[in-house]
Amino acid sequence: QEKIIETYNSLYQAIAYSDISTELLSGGAIGLEAYSRAYDVEYNKNGQMINTTSASYASSSTGLTTVRIMSDIVYDGLGLMISYNDTTTQTAPMINVSSETSRTDIKYDANSRLLTYTDVSNSTASPDLETTTYRVGTGYNTFGQVISYTEKTTSREYDSAAGMWMPAYLENARTMSALTYNTSGQMTEYMEASHDYNTGLAPADMSLDITTVTRRIISAYDDLGRMAAYTDMISPAKSGGAYISEVYVTKTVTDITYDTLIGGMKRYYEVSHERGSALDITTTTDRADISYNALNQIAGYKDTITTGSDTKTETKTISDMEYSRTGRSAGNVTKIRETGSIVIGARTYELDS
């Protein structure tokens, strides 16, 4: 059953909306409940929406409720959005996390397609970290799909001892190109060049200039449109235009499944092939039992790893992962067991540790 409720103001503008769906089982019991709502909708004198709150809930996702507040929306003379604030909160029996993004300087091309913007973001998962992202140079194909863009990202950290935000010393420029899509509009391939370098605020002794290039081919999606398999081909890293590594890496990830509550990865299988001068090694990793804490950060997982021609299998269980207030890993409990055998020289050694 589906029930839709709409509310309007005196100007016949929609100010609230509810869409409630239920499935009645035998005996009248409710087997599935979901709703989406919009409320607290406000308009400016031109009839443009400037504030709105939306909420969604589905019992099939273990009671996850998502509330999103769009506020302080500003438009240009053509009626295109040029700035807004976006706050999203997710709650469930074991989850309570919020994030906020202020987007400004939004610009469009002659066809009203997004070109540039600036985002300033923070989250309760990392309250002492603020990230600024500049999107520039967005390109489109004839179908209006994004085929290229560059994002420059800097992060600054709050020093609680000094009581101030510290300058951002490092910046990352990520250039996405050659984006292609299938007939369903799902991305199938792209090139990514990631450049890490110093900002003008960095101390003289802090030197960083590293570029890595990755080609990703996405080979499968699940029924909900989430990526289920892909292959990454990673070229050797460069610094100042010169290679600082001779290692080429190919990673194929398959059998990706997702957590039904928050949508994060629950399991995947990875085959990594590293090759270079005097190096040719393949490692397989079966990562399972990925769990999350109340802030949607990974809390633990189990890896089953086989490397090279050895018959050795390493089982690594990570639990009780902790994070700093900037979102960095700050500790965990690791248990490792090795079984099978390894070959060293002419001898084979049996393992069971």
Side-chain angles (χ1 to χ4, degrees), residues 109-123:
D109 65 11
N111 294 313
S112 300
R113 298 178 302 197
L114 184 68
L115 283 179
T116 66
Y117 60 77
T118 300
D119 279 353
V120 178
S121 306
N122 55 67
S123 169

Side-chain angles (χ1 to χ4, degrees), residues 106-352:
I106 306 174
K107 294 182 174 57
Y108 303 84
D109 65 11
N111 294 313
S112 300
R113 298 178 302 197
L114 184 68
L115 283 179
T116 66
Y117 60 77
T118 300
D119 279 353
V120 178
S121 306
N122 55 67
S123 169
T124 56
S126 48
D128 287 351
L129 182 71
E130 182 182 83
T131 301
T132 301
T133 301
Y134 306 91
R135 164 74 76 90
V136 297
T138 310
Y140 296 85
N141 62 18
T142 55
F143 298 102
Q145 298 166 318
V146 174
I147 58 173
S148 63
Y149 63 87
T150 296
E151 287 183 345
K152 297 182 179 181
T153 302
T154 59
S155 297
R156 64 174 186 165
E157 300 179 8
Y158 185 76
D159 187 332
S160 57
M164 61 182 293
W165 288 95
M166 303 303 294
Y169 294 141
L170 307 177
E171 187 168 61
N172 172 267
R174 185 171 69 110
T175 298
M176 303 286 289
S177 61
L179 278 69
T180 59
Y181 301 83
N182 60 22
T183 54
S184 299
Q186 297 167 323
M187 195 181 302
T188 57
E189 187 174 343
Y190 62 79
M191 295 289 291
E192 176 182 349
S194 179
H195 182 200
D196 293 299
Y197 53 94
N198 294 338
T199 67
L201 301 175
D205 59 350
M206 182 180 288
S207 177
L208 181 68
D209 181 10
I210 299 176
T211 299
T212 56
V213 177
T214 301
R215 178 190 178 196
R216 172 167 292 187
I217 299 174
I218 304 170
S219 54
Y221 288 87
D222 66 13
D223 292 339
L224 297 178
R226 299 173 300 194
M227 189 167 51
Y230 65 88
T231 297
D232 281 349
M233 289 161 278
I234 307 169
S235 300
K238 288 183 177 182
S239 180
Y243 286 108
I244 58 175
S245 167
E246 298 180 351
V247 179
Y248 291 83
V249 180
T250 300
K251 291 184 179 181
T252 298
V253 180
T254 58
D255 301 326
I256 302 173
T257 59
Y258 294 86
D259 183 271
T260 56
L261 176 59
I262 62 173
M265 283 189 185
K266 189 69 175 177
R267 182 171 190 164
Y268 63 81
Y269 183 80
E270 176 185 290
V271 179
S272 176
H273 182 200
E274 299 174 272
R275 62 196 188 281
S277 177
L279 176 68
D280 190 349
I281 189 169
T282 298
T283 302
T284 64
T285 302
D286 185 357
R287 178 164 292 185
D289 302 333
I290 305 173
S291 60
Y292 297 84
N293 63 21
L295 297 174
N296 286 2
Q297 298 163 321
I298 292 178
Y301 57 85
K302 182 175 74 174
D303 281 351
T304 303
I305 305 168
T306 302
T307 303
S309 59
D310 298 333
T311 60
K312 179 190 76 171
T313 297
E314 177 182 282
T315 301
K316 181 186 297 183
T317 303
I318 309 295
S319 62
D320 300 324
M321 294 182 68
E322 299 178 352
Y323 295 84
S324 69
R325 288 178 58 84
T326 57
R328 294 190 179 94
S329 178
N332 62 74
V333 176
T334 302
K335 296 180 181 180
I336 299 175
R337 184 187 180 193
E338 294 180 331
T339 58
S341 62
I342 60 172
V343 178
I344 300 178
R347 301 188 63 180
T348 298
Y349 296 87
E350 297 297 325
L351 301 171
D352 189 0

Side-chain angles (χ1 to χ4, degrees), residues 23-82:
E23 179 183 355
L24 296 180
L25 304 178
S26 59
I30 297 177
L32 174 67
E33 181 179 8
Y35 72 73
S36 59
R37 295 190 298 143
Y39 52 96
D40 293 340
V41 183
E42 299 178 0
Y43 299 85
N44 62 19
K45 63 181 181 181
N46 297 319
Q48 298 163 321
M49 188 182 300
I50 55 174
N51 296 296
T52 182
T53 300
S54 60
S56 62
Y57 166 86
S59 59
S60 59
S61 62
T62 325
L64 178 67
T65 299
T66 302
V67 177
R68 184 183 185 190
I69 301 174
M70 296 280 290
S71 61
D72 302 321
I73 305 172
V74 179
Y75 300 84
D76 64 13
L78 298 176
L80 299 173
M81 200 179 297
I82 57 174

